[in-house]
Amino acid sequence: MAKFAEMTTFFTLALCVNSFAAEPFSVEVTARLGTAEQSLQSFSLENLSSIRPGAVRESIPGDRKVSQWKGSLLSGLIEAAMSALSPEKRAQVDVLILRGRGGAKAMLPRALVQKYPIIVATSRDGLPLGALGPAMTILPWTTRPTLKGEGAPLENLFVAGLESIELANYREVYGRLFLRRRTDPSAMRGEKLFVQNCLTCHTSGQGPAVDEIAQHSRSKRLSDSGHPTVKGGPVLSSRDRRALQSYLDAFLGEQGADQVGQSQAAARSNVR
């Protein structure tokens, strides 16, 4: 019986290792800097093994179990992919758009990738990730407490079934959301908070568009009521809420001025 149990254990472990090795895996990295999308590199499991390894003992959202996650540092993966870009293009990248299985999408500021050891994990406690894999982004959100003070929606940044990473520039992708008048410190702070925390939901249909938020905030002030409780949503202090309100008010004012200008231009054109 003991020998049978030993053989069964060996067979089970061998099966796990073989399935891990055979599991199809590819993360496509592209860049959208300007009008055209550029394919940079496709990372298979074998490619990832050449990237600087990373490991962390962490829990993940919705699962309190602390596990040993191993894989490759996301910063190393990005640096390898960006080797195909010119120095000027590399300097423009300030956001990573992560996409996972089932349409999952998250926007990760590049500054966090450079500052913290975020990994693309391919194993958990020595085994394949199963339903979470083949790869998943893991952030050191409990082992590096300062990460929670960075003003990013951390729960959304754990992307299971990671399939692609798009390197982009906030202003190029979401230029209309940036204020032209840049003299109000509170509105500038609110703009940064909105870009880092709110774009994923409020530009993809998961939440109301910024125009609708700005209109709604006139009657139900964000600074008073705060953000509705949603999973992975931002945790806003009273100062954050006031800054976001300043940004939304300024955004609405600029949009209104644009509409007035367009109406006046159209009226002048009709007179001619």
Side-chain angles (χ1 to χ4, degrees):
M1 284 296 291
K3 188 168 184 63
F4 175 75
E6 183 179 341
M7 291 177 62
T8 302
T9 301
F10 174 79
F11 176 76
T12 302
L13 289 174
L15 182 62
C16 288
V17 171
N18 287 337
S19 64
F20 186 23
E23 194 168 83
F25 176 87
S26 178
V27 174
E28 302 292 329
V29 182
T30 60
R32 187 178 294 279
L33 301 167
T35 56
E37 182 178 45
Q38 179 181 352
S39 179
L40 297 181
Q41 194 165 344
S42 177
F43 289 90
S44 64
L45 193 61
E46 184 178 357
N47 295 145
L48 277 180
S49 65
S50 65
I51 303 297
R52 190 151 60 103
V56 64
R57 288 190 60 80
E58 269 296 351
S59 61
I60 60 175
D63 185 350
R64 294 183 179 180
K65 178 187 176 184
V66 175
S67 298
Q68 179 76 6
W69 303 86
K70 290 186 177 181
S72 302
L73 285 172
L74 181 56
S75 59
L77 184 152
I78 297 306
E79 287 303 316
M82 289 201 304
S83 63
L85 297 175
S86 67
E88 293 77 15
K89 291 290 187 182
R90 290 199 293 269
Q92 292 176 29
V93 176
D94 59 8
V95 62
L96 279 58
I97 303 176
L98 311 176
R99 292 185 173 86
R101 187 173 49 250
K105 176 183 174 182
M107 304 187 70
L108 174 60
R110 184 186 175 192
L112 296 188
V113 178
Q114 296 170 318
K115 188 174 181 180
Y116 297 97
I118 300 170
I119 68 171
V120 176
T122 52
S123 74
R124 180 183 192 180
D125 295 330
L127 296 173
L129 300 187
L132 297 176
M136 180 179 182
T137 48
I138 303 293
L139 287 74
W141 67 333
T142 63
T143 52
R144 296 291 185 94
T146 54
L147 180 55
K148 291 187 176 181
E150 294 287 352
L154 299 182
E155 288 193 20
N156 289 340
L157 300 177
F158 288 80
V159 178
L162 183 67
E163 295 179 343
S164 69
I165 302 173
E166 180 182 322
L167 312 183
N169 177 272
Y170 278 120
R171 281 186 172 274
E172 285 193 3
V173 181
Y174 300 105
R176 68 178 292 271
L177 300 182
F178 286 81
L179 300 175
R180 294 190 298 274
R181 182 175 177 271
R182 312 192 65 77
T183 56
D184 181 347
S186 181
M188 293 296 92
R189 185 170 187 274
E191 177 188 88
K192 180 179 179 181
L193 284 167
F194 187 87
V195 166
Q196 288 190 348
N197 288 274
C198 311
L199 282 181
T200 297
C201 289
H202 294 286
T203 59
S204 65
Q206 298 179 54
V210 62
D211 308 73
E212 184 181 341
I213 302 170
Q215 292 284 358
H216 185 57
S217 68
R218 292 293 191 182
S219 58
K220 188 177 181 181
R221 306 288 293 182
L222 177 66
S223 55
D224 295 330
S225 60
H227 193 286
T229 301
V230 294
K231 184 179 179 181
V235 178
L236 303 173
S237 66
S238 57
R239 184 183 177 215
D240 292 337
R241 295 198 300 269
R242 289 194 298 271
L244 277 169
Q245 189 67 61
S246 296
Y247 163 69
L248 292 171
D249 288 343
F251 176 83
L252 186 63
E254 291 189 354
Q255 296 301 303
D258 288 345
Q259 291 174 6
V260 170
Q262 291 169 6
S263 298
Q264 291 176 343
R268 288 194 296 270
S269 177
N270 290 335
V271 169
R272 292 173 190 166

mmCIF file of all heavy atoms in Angstrom, residues 21-68:
data_model
loop_
_atom_site.group_PDB
_atom_site.id
_atom_site.type_symbol
_atom_site.label_atom_id
_atom_site.label_comp_id
_atom_site.label_asym_id
_atom_site.label_seq_id
_atom_site.Cartn_x
_atom_site.Cartn_y
_atom_site.Cartn_z
ATOM 1 N N ALA A 21 3.854 22.495 -18.165
ATOM 2 C CA ALA A 21 4.764 22.740 -19.279
ATOM 3 C C ALA A 21 4.020 22.821 -20.603
ATOM 4 O O ALA A 21 4.396 23.566 -21.501
ATOM 5 C CB ALA A 21 5.810 21.632 -19.329
ATOM 6 N N ALA A 22 2.915 22.029 -20.716
ATOM 7 C CA ALA A 22 2.229 21.963 -21.995
ATOM 8 C C ALA A 22 1.171 23.049 -22.159
ATOM 9 O O ALA A 22 0.655 23.239 -23.240
ATOM 10 C CB ALA A 22 1.574 20.589 -22.130
ATOM 11 N N GLU A 23 0.842 23.716 -21.057
ATOM 12 C CA GLU A 23 -0.237 24.690 -21.098
ATOM 13 C C GLU A 23 0.106 25.839 -22.044
ATOM 14 O O GLU A 23 1.174 26.462 -21.928
ATOM 15 C CB GLU A 23 -0.468 25.239 -19.689
ATOM 16 C CG GLU A 23 -1.775 25.987 -19.551
ATOM 17 C CD GLU A 23 -2.079 26.257 -18.085
ATOM 18 O OE1 GLU A 23 -1.548 27.241 -17.553
ATOM 19 O OE2 GLU A 23 -2.832 25.483 -17.495
ATOM 20 N N PRO A 24 -0.734 26.125 -23.022
ATOM 21 C CA PRO A 24 -0.429 27.199 -23.971
ATOM 22 C C PRO A 24 -0.377 28.546 -23.269
ATOM 23 O O PRO A 24 -1.182 28.826 -22.386
ATOM 24 C CB PRO A 24 -1.594 27.124 -24.969
ATOM 25 C CG PRO A 24 -2.706 26.470 -24.214
ATOM 26 C CD PRO A 24 -2.041 25.504 -23.283
ATOM 27 N N PHE A 25 0.580 29.351 -23.653
ATOM 28 C CA PHE A 25 0.766 30.626 -22.970
ATOM 29 C C PHE A 25 1.368 31.642 -23.922
ATOM 30 O O PHE A 25 2.359 31.362 -24.590
ATOM 31 C CB PHE A 25 1.680 30.435 -21.763
ATOM 32 C CG PHE A 25 2.017 31.723 -21.048
ATOM 33 C CD1 PHE A 25 1.185 32.216 -20.067
ATOM 34 C CD2 PHE A 25 3.151 32.429 -21.375
ATOM 35 C CE1 PHE A 25 1.494 33.392 -19.403
ATOM 36 C CE2 PHE A 25 3.476 33.605 -20.726
ATOM 37 C CZ PHE A 25 2.633 34.086 -19.739
ATOM 38 N N SER A 26 0.783 32.820 -23.977
ATOM 39 C CA SER A 26 1.332 33.897 -24.786
ATOM 40 C C SER A 26 0.747 35.219 -24.322
ATOM 41 O O SER A 26 -0.470 35.353 -24.204
ATOM 42 C CB SER A 26 1.015 33.672 -26.268
ATOM 43 O OG SER A 26 1.521 34.743 -27.052
ATOM 44 N N VAL A 27 1.620 36.150 -24.022
ATOM 45 C CA VAL A 27 1.202 37.513 -23.698
ATOM 46 C C VAL A 27 1.732 38.425 -24.793
ATOM 47 O O VAL A 27 2.949 38.521 -25.003
ATOM 48 C CB VAL A 27 1.736 37.965 -22.325
ATOM 49 C CG1 VAL A 27 1.402 39.434 -22.088
ATOM 50 C CG2 VAL A 27 1.150 37.122 -21.215
ATOM 51 N N GLU A 28 0.814 39.063 -25.502
ATOM 52 C CA GLU A 28 1.199 39.952 -26.598
ATOM 53 C C GLU A 28 1.423 41.369 -26.056
ATOM 54 O O GLU A 28 0.556 41.911 -25.363
ATOM 55 C CB GLU A 28 0.103 39.989 -27.663
ATOM 56 C CG GLU A 28 -0.252 38.633 -28.256
ATOM 57 C CD GLU A 28 0.872 38.049 -29.085
ATOM 58 O OE1 GLU A 28 1.630 38.833 -29.690
ATOM 59 O OE2 GLU A 28 1.002 36.814 -29.125
ATOM 60 N N VAL A 29 2.561 41.955 -26.374
ATOM 61 C CA VAL A 29 2.850 43.326 -25.966
ATOM 62 C C VAL A 29 2.874 44.212 -27.202
ATOM 63 O O VAL A 29 3.594 43.937 -28.170
ATOM 64 C CB VAL A 29 4.192 43.436 -25.218
ATOM 65 C CG1 VAL A 29 4.430 44.877 -24.762
ATOM 66 C CG2 VAL A 29 4.205 42.498 -24.013
ATOM 67 N N THR A 30 2.054 45.251 -27.184
ATOM 68 C CA THR A 30 1.980 46.195 -28.299
ATOM 69 C C THR A 30 2.167 47.607 -27.765
ATOM 70 O O THR A 30 2.116 47.846 -26.555
ATOM 71 C CB THR A 30 0.616 46.107 -29.014
ATOM 72 O OG1 THR A 30 -0.426 46.421 -28.071
ATOM 73 C CG2 THR A 30 0.380 44.718 -29.572
ATOM 74 N N ALA A 31 2.387 48.545 -28.671
ATOM 75 C CA ALA A 31 2.505 49.958 -28.308
ATOM 76 C C ALA A 31 1.568 50.758 -29.190
ATOM 77 O O ALA A 31 1.498 50.523 -30.407
ATOM 78 C CB ALA A 31 3.939 50.441 -28.481
ATOM 79 N N ARG A 32 0.832 51.669 -28.579
ATOM 80 C CA ARG A 32 -0.001 52.598 -29.342
ATOM 81 C C ARG A 32 0.425 54.015 -28.962
ATOM 82 O O ARG A 32 -0.061 54.609 -28.017
ATOM 83 C CB ARG A 32 -1.485 52.393 -29.038
ATOM 84 C CG ARG A 32 -2.398 53.231 -29.947
ATOM 85 C CD ARG A 32 -3.859 52.963 -29.662
ATOM 86 N NE ARG A 32 -4.259 51.619 -30.005
ATOM 87 C CZ ARG A 32 -4.573 51.227 -31.247
ATOM 88 N NH1 ARG A 32 -4.521 52.093 -32.241
ATOM 89 N NH2 ARG A 32 -4.945 49.993 -31.493
ATOM 90 N N LEU A 33 1.388 54.509 -29.722
ATOM 91 C CA LEU A 33 1.934 55.842 -29.498
ATOM 92 C C LEU A 33 1.802 56.604 -30.807
ATOM 93 O O LEU A 33 2.599 56.449 -31.711
ATOM 94 C CB LEU A 33 3.402 55.758 -29.055
ATOM 95 C CG LEU A 33 3.642 54.948 -27.767
ATOM 96 C CD1 LEU A 33 5.120 54.645 -27.591
ATOM 97 C CD2 LEU A 33 3.106 55.707 -26.564
ATOM 98 N N GLY A 34 0.738 57.382 -30.914
ATOM 99 C CA GLY A 34 0.387 57.990 -32.185
ATOM 100 C C GLY A 34 -0.830 57.281 -32.743
ATOM 101 O O GLY A 34 -1.631 56.726 -32.005
ATOM 102 N N THR A 35 -0.952 57.249 -34.044
ATOM 103 C CA THR A 35 -2.158 56.690 -34.657
ATOM 104 C C THR A 35 -2.089 55.188 -34.869
ATOM 105 O O THR A 35 -3.105 54.503 -34.840
ATOM 106 C CB THR A 35 -2.411 57.365 -36.019
ATOM 107 O OG1 THR A 35 -1.243 57.207 -36.847
ATOM 108 C CG2 THR A 35 -2.696 58.848 -35.830
ATOM 109 N N ALA A 36 -0.885 54.643 -35.068
ATOM 110 C CA ALA A 36 -0.760 53.225 -35.418
ATOM 111 C C ALA A 36 -0.382 52.372 -34.209
ATOM 112 O O ALA A 36 0.341 52.826 -33.321
ATOM 113 C CB ALA A 36 0.281 53.043 -36.515
ATOM 114 N N GLU A 37 -0.873 51.130 -34.202
ATOM 115 C CA GLU A 37 -0.491 50.173 -33.171
ATOM 116 C C GLU A 37 0.705 49.373 -33.671
ATOM 117 O O GLU A 37 0.724 48.915 -34.815
ATOM 118 C CB GLU A 37 -1.656 49.238 -32.850
ATOM 119 C CG GLU A 37 -1.339 48.246 -31.743
ATOM 120 C CD GLU A 37 -2.522 47.354 -31.412
ATOM 121 O OE1 GLU A 37 -3.165 46.851 -32.368
ATOM 122 O OE2 GLU A 37 -2.809 47.155 -30.232
ATOM 123 N N GLN A 38 1.696 49.222 -32.825
ATOM 124 C CA GLN A 38 2.913 48.506 -33.200
ATOM 125 C C GLN A 38 3.049 47.264 -32.337
ATOM 126 O O GLN A 38 3.018 47.328 -31.108
ATOM 127 C CB GLN A 38 4.136 49.413 -33.004
ATOM 128 C CG GLN A 38 5.470 48.748 -33.336
ATOM 129 C CD GLN A 38 6.652 49.671 -33.106
ATOM 130 O OE1 GLN A 38 6.477 50.865 -32.829
ATOM 131 N NE2 GLN A 38 7.855 49.141 -33.215
ATOM 132 N N SER A 39 3.212 46.108 -32.987
ATOM 133 C CA SER A 39 3.443 44.869 -32.251
ATOM 134 C C SER A 39 4.905 44.825 -31.829
ATOM 135 O O SER A 39 5.809 44.992 -32.649
ATOM 136 C CB SER A 39 3.101 43.668 -33.144
ATOM 137 O OG SER A 39 3.351 42.469 -32.449
ATOM 138 N N LEU A 40 5.154 44.585 -30.537
ATOM 139 C CA LEU A 40 6.517 44.615 -30.024
ATOM 140 C C LEU A 40 7.077 43.211 -29.783
ATOM 141 O O LEU A 40 8.122 42.859 -30.300
ATOM 142 C CB LEU A 40 6.567 45.416 -28.717
ATOM 143 C CG LEU A 40 6.195 46.899 -28.831
ATOM 144 C CD1 LEU A 40 6.304 47.566 -27.476
ATOM 145 C CD2 LEU A 40 7.069 47.610 -29.857
ATOM 146 N N GLN A 41 6.370 42.402 -28.986
ATOM 147 C CA GLN A 41 6.897 41.078 -28.678
ATOM 148 C C GLN A 41 5.790 40.193 -28.127
ATOM 149 O O GLN A 41 4.858 40.663 -27.474
ATOM 150 C CB GLN A 41 8.030 41.175 -27.647
ATOM 151 C CG GLN A 41 8.858 39.911 -27.521
ATOM 152 C CD GLN A 41 10.165 40.146 -26.782
ATOM 153 O OE1 GLN A 41 10.587 41.285 -26.611
ATOM 154 N NE2 GLN A 41 10.820 39.081 -26.347
ATOM 155 N N SER A 42 5.917 38.908 -28.396
ATOM 156 C CA SER A 42 5.004 37.915 -27.853
ATOM 157 C C SER A 42 5.783 37.050 -26.877
ATOM 158 O O SER A 42 6.812 36.469 -27.234
ATOM 159 C CB SER A 42 4.423 37.048 -28.976
ATOM 160 O OG SER A 42 3.582 36.046 -28.454
ATOM 161 N N PHE A 43 5.321 37.005 -25.633
ATOM 162 C CA PHE A 43 6.031 36.274 -24.596
ATOM 163 C C PHE A 43 5.365 34.931 -24.328
ATOM 164 O O PHE A 43 4.243 34.867 -23.845
ATOM 165 C CB PHE A 43 6.080 37.087 -23.303
ATOM 166 C CG PHE A 43 6.987 38.284 -23.377
ATOM 167 C CD1 PHE A 43 6.505 39.510 -23.792
ATOM 168 C CD2 PHE A 43 8.335 38.170 -23.038
ATOM 169 C CE1 PHE A 43 7.329 40.611 -23.872
ATOM 170 C CE2 PHE A 43 9.178 39.268 -23.112
ATOM 171 C CZ PHE A 43 8.674 40.501 -23.540
ATOM 172 N N SER A 44 6.075 33.867 -24.639
ATOM 173 C CA SER A 44 5.633 32.523 -24.284
ATOM 174 C C SER A 44 6.218 32.192 -22.916
ATOM 175 O O SER A 44 6.993 32.969 -22.336
ATOM 176 C CB SER A 44 6.129 31.514 -25.316
ATOM 177 O OG SER A 44 7.553 31.463 -25.291
ATOM 178 N N LEU A 45 5.887 31.033 -22.394
ATOM 179 C CA LEU A 45 6.442 30.606 -21.110
ATOM 180 C C LEU A 45 7.958 30.526 -21.186
ATOM 181 O O LEU A 45 8.674 30.913 -20.257
ATOM 182 C CB LEU A 45 5.845 29.250 -20.718
ATOM 183 C CG LEU A 45 6.067 28.788 -19.280
ATOM 184 C CD1 LEU A 45 5.450 29.750 -18.289
ATOM 185 C CD2 LEU A 45 5.508 27.385 -19.091
ATOM 186 N N GLU A 46 8.460 30.054 -22.313
ATOM 187 C CA GLU A 46 9.913 29.948 -22.502
ATOM 188 C C GLU A 46 10.550 31.336 -22.541
ATOM 189 O O GLU A 46 11.613 31.551 -21.943
ATOM 190 C CB GLU A 46 10.217 29.191 -23.803
ATOM 191 C CG GLU A 46 11.699 28.946 -24.028
ATOM 192 C CD GLU A 46 11.972 28.160 -25.298
ATOM 193 O OE1 GLU A 46 10.995 27.749 -25.970
ATOM 194 O OE2 GLU A 46 13.155 27.960 -25.614
ATOM 195 N N ASN A 47 9.898 32.303 -23.231
ATOM 196 C CA ASN A 47 10.431 33.664 -23.273
ATOM 197 C C ASN A 47 10.510 34.259 -21.875
ATOM 198 O O ASN A 47 11.477 34.946 -21.520
ATOM 199 C CB ASN A 47 9.548 34.567 -24.128
ATOM 200 C CG ASN A 47 9.516 34.169 -25.588
ATOM 201 O OD1 ASN A 47 8.491 34.301 -26.255
ATOM 202 N ND2 ASN A 47 10.643 33.663 -26.089
ATOM 203 N N LEU A 48 9.458 34.035 -21.085
ATOM 204 C CA LEU A 48 9.409 34.622 -19.746
ATOM 205 C C LEU A 48 10.530 34.126 -18.855
ATOM 206 O O LEU A 48 10.981 34.843 -17.959
ATOM 207 C CB LEU A 48 8.062 34.320 -19.091
ATOM 208 C CG LEU A 48 6.901 35.254 -19.445
ATOM 209 C CD1 LEU A 48 5.642 34.824 -18.705
ATOM 210 C CD2 LEU A 48 7.234 36.699 -19.105
ATOM 211 N N SER A 49 10.986 32.912 -19.096
ATOM 212 C CA SER A 49 12.050 32.355 -18.260
ATOM 213 C C SER A 49 13.357 33.121 -18.412
ATOM 214 O O SER A 49 14.245 33.032 -17.560
ATOM 215 C CB SER A 49 12.274 30.879 -18.590
ATOM 216 O OG SER A 49 12.751 30.731 -19.928
ATOM 217 N N SER A 50 13.484 33.889 -19.502
ATOM 218 C CA SER A 50 14.691 34.678 -19.712
ATOM 219 C C SER A 50 14.597 36.071 -19.091
ATOM 220 O O SER A 50 15.580 36.809 -19.050
ATOM 221 C CB SER A 50 14.971 34.815 -21.221
ATOM 222 O OG SER A 50 13.949 35.564 -21.856
ATOM 223 N N ILE A 51 13.380 36.438 -18.605
ATOM 224 C CA ILE A 51 13.176 37.723 -17.947
ATOM 225 C C ILE A 51 13.536 37.580 -16.468
ATOM 226 O O ILE A 51 13.373 36.512 -15.873
ATOM 227 C CB ILE A 51 11.711 38.180 -18.085
ATOM 228 C CG1 ILE A 51 11.315 38.261 -19.558
ATOM 229 C CG2 ILE A 51 11.487 39.523 -17.405
ATOM 230 C CD1 ILE A 51 12.076 39.261 -20.379
ATOM 231 N N ARG A 52 14.015 38.662 -15.861
ATOM 232 C CA ARG A 52 14.400 38.611 -14.454
ATOM 233 C C ARG A 52 13.271 38.050 -13.603
ATOM 234 O O ARG A 52 12.147 38.562 -13.643
ATOM 235 C CB ARG A 52 14.789 40.004 -13.967
ATOM 236 C CG ARG A 52 15.449 40.016 -12.583
ATOM 237 C CD ARG A 52 16.400 41.191 -12.448
ATOM 238 N NE ARG A 52 15.715 42.459 -12.615
ATOM 239 C CZ ARG A 52 15.394 43.259 -11.597
ATOM 240 N NH1 ARG A 52 15.664 42.908 -10.356
ATOM 241 N NH2 ARG A 52 14.811 44.411 -11.821
ATOM 242 N N PRO A 53 13.528 36.989 -12.847
ATOM 243 C CA PRO A 53 12.449 36.354 -12.081
ATOM 244 C C PRO A 53 11.970 37.207 -10.915
ATOM 245 O O PRO A 53 12.703 38.054 -10.401
ATOM 246 C CB PRO A 53 13.103 35.055 -11.584
ATOM 247 C CG PRO A 53 14.560 35.366 -11.526
ATOM 248 C CD PRO A 53 14.822 36.310 -12.670
ATOM 249 N N GLY A 54 10.737 36.956 -10.518
ATOM 250 C CA GLY A 54 10.161 37.640 -9.371
ATOM 251 C C GLY A 54 9.344 36.662 -8.557
ATOM 252 O O GLY A 54 8.783 35.701 -9.094
ATOM 253 N N ALA A 55 9.289 36.906 -7.254
ATOM 254 C CA ALA A 55 8.502 36.051 -6.364
ATOM 255 C C ALA A 55 7.995 36.897 -5.204
ATOM 256 O O ALA A 55 8.672 37.832 -4.774
ATOM 257 C CB ALA A 55 9.338 34.885 -5.849
ATOM 258 N N VAL A 56 6.809 36.553 -4.725
ATOM 259 C CA VAL A 56 6.239 37.298 -3.607
ATOM 260 C C VAL A 56 5.239 36.405 -2.874
ATOM 261 O O VAL A 56 4.577 35.569 -3.482
ATOM 262 C CB VAL A 56 5.535 38.583 -4.117
ATOM 263 C CG1 VAL A 56 4.341 38.248 -5.002
ATOM 264 C CG2 VAL A 56 5.108 39.479 -2.959
ATOM 265 N N ARG A 57 5.190 36.561 -1.551
ATOM 266 C CA ARG A 57 4.169 35.885 -0.758
ATOM 267 C C ARG A 57 3.036 36.874 -0.547
ATOM 268 O O ARG A 57 3.207 37.897 0.111
ATOM 269 C CB ARG A 57 4.731 35.413 0.588
ATOM 270 C CG ARG A 57 5.678 34.220 0.459
ATOM 271 C CD ARG A 57 6.026 33.630 1.825
ATOM 272 N NE ARG A 57 4.835 33.153 2.538
ATOM 273 C CZ ARG A 57 4.225 31.992 2.303
ATOM 274 N NH1 ARG A 57 4.683 31.181 1.351
ATOM 275 N NH2 ARG A 57 3.167 31.635 2.997
ATOM 276 N N GLU A 58 1.893 36.587 -1.152
ATOM 277 C CA GLU A 58 0.779 37.534 -1.144
ATOM 278 C C GLU A 58 -0.559 36.815 -1.147
ATOM 279 O O GLU A 58 -0.669 35.656 -1.559
ATOM 280 C CB GLU A 58 0.841 38.448 -2.388
ATOM 281 C CG GLU A 58 1.612 39.729 -2.200
ATOM 282 C CD GLU A 58 0.984 40.670 -1.181
ATOM 283 O OE1 GLU A 58 -0.150 40.417 -0.726
ATOM 284 O OE2 GLU A 58 1.633 41.657 -0.830
ATOM 285 N N SER A 59 -1.573 37.542 -0.720
ATOM 286 C CA SER A 59 -2.959 37.142 -0.943
ATOM 287 C C SER A 59 -3.457 37.914 -2.154
ATOM 288 O O SER A 59 -2.801 38.857 -2.610
ATOM 289 C CB SER A 59 -3.821 37.461 0.284
ATOM 290 O OG SER A 59 -3.797 38.866 0.535
ATOM 291 N N ILE A 60 -4.595 37.533 -2.681
ATOM 292 C CA ILE A 60 -5.184 38.235 -3.806
ATOM 293 C C ILE A 60 -6.603 38.651 -3.445
ATOM 294 O O ILE A 60 -7.190 38.106 -2.501
ATOM 295 C CB ILE A 60 -5.186 37.365 -5.089
ATOM 296 C CG1 ILE A 60 -5.998 36.081 -4.875
ATOM 297 C CG2 ILE A 60 -3.765 37.048 -5.520
ATOM 298 C CD1 ILE A 60 -6.135 35.233 -6.131
ATOM 299 N N PRO A 61 -7.183 39.603 -4.142
ATOM 300 C CA PRO A 61 -8.551 40.034 -3.831
ATOM 301 C C PRO A 61 -9.527 38.851 -3.828
ATOM 302 O O PRO A 61 -9.534 38.035 -4.734
ATOM 303 C CB PRO A 61 -8.865 41.024 -4.952
ATOM 304 C CG PRO A 61 -7.533 41.562 -5.360
ATOM 305 C CD PRO A 61 -6.603 40.406 -5.235
ATOM 306 N N GLY A 62 -10.327 38.789 -2.776
ATOM 307 C CA GLY A 62 -11.321 37.729 -2.682
ATOM 308 C C GLY A 62 -10.805 36.413 -2.146
ATOM 309 O O GLY A 62 -11.553 35.443 -2.041
ATOM 310 N N ASP A 63 -9.510 36.342 -1.800
ATOM 311 C CA ASP A 63 -8.919 35.098 -1.295
ATOM 312 C C ASP A 63 -7.862 35.472 -0.254
ATOM 313 O O ASP A 63 -6.807 36.005 -0.588
ATOM 314 C CB ASP A 63 -8.291 34.309 -2.446
ATOM 315 C CG ASP A 63 -7.767 32.944 -2.000
ATOM 316 O OD1 ASP A 63 -7.711 32.690 -0.787
ATOM 317 O OD2 ASP A 63 -7.415 32.142 -2.879
ATOM 318 N N ARG A 64 -8.138 35.201 0.997
ATOM 319 C CA ARG A 64 -7.230 35.604 2.072
ATOM 320 C C ARG A 64 -6.003 34.706 2.191
ATOM 321 O O ARG A 64 -5.062 35.039 2.924
ATOM 322 C CB ARG A 64 -7.983 35.595 3.408
ATOM 323 C CG ARG A 64 -9.078 36.644 3.498
ATOM 324 C CD ARG A 64 -9.721 36.626 4.875
ATOM 325 N NE ARG A 64 -10.763 37.636 4.990
ATOM 326 C CZ ARG A 64 -11.483 37.841 6.098
ATOM 327 N NH1 ARG A 64 -11.257 37.088 7.165
ATOM 328 N NH2 ARG A 64 -12.407 38.769 6.118
ATOM 329 N N LYS A 65 -5.989 33.585 1.499
ATOM 330 C CA LYS A 65 -4.856 32.680 1.604
ATOM 331 C C LYS A 65 -3.585 33.349 1.081
ATOM 332 O O LYS A 65 -3.553 33.885 -0.025
ATOM 333 C CB LYS A 65 -5.126 31.407 0.806
ATOM 334 C CG LYS A 65 -3.951 30.424 0.845
ATOM 335 C CD LYS A 65 -4.187 29.250 -0.088
ATOM 336 C CE LYS A 65 -2.971 28.333 -0.121
ATOM 337 N NZ LYS A 65 -3.124 27.228 -1.102
ATOM 338 N N VAL A 66 -2.534 33.314 1.881
ATOM 339 C CA VAL A 66 -1.241 33.847 1.454
ATOM 340 C C VAL A 66 -0.485 32.731 0.734
ATOM 341 O O VAL A 66 -0.273 31.649 1.297
ATOM 342 C CB VAL A 66 -0.424 34.359 2.654
ATOM 343 C CG1 VAL A 66 0.965 34.805 2.203
ATOM 344 C CG2 VAL A 66 -1.160 35.510 3.330
ATOM 345 N N SER A 67 -0.098 32.993 -0.492
ATOM 346 C CA SER A 67 0.572 31.983 -1.313
ATOM 347 C C SER A 67 1.906 32.508 -1.814
ATOM 348 O O SER A 67 2.161 33.723 -1.812
ATOM 349 C CB SER A 67 -0.303 31.603 -2.516
ATOM 350 O OG SER A 67 -1.526 31.029 -2.109
ATOM 351 N N GLN A 68 2.749 31.588 -2.249
ATOM 352 C CA GLN A 68 4.015 31.939 -2.877
ATOM 353 C C GLN A 68 3.793 32.010 -4.387
ATOM 354 O O GLN A 68 3.542 30.992 -5.030
ATOM 355 C CB GLN A 68 5.092 30.902 -2.547
ATOM 356 C CG GLN A 68 6.448 31.160 -3.187
ATOM 357 C CD GLN A 68 7.220 32.270 -2.484
ATOM 358 O OE1 GLN A 68 6.796 32.779 -1.462
ATOM 359 N NE2 GLN A 68 8.347 32.661 -3.049
#
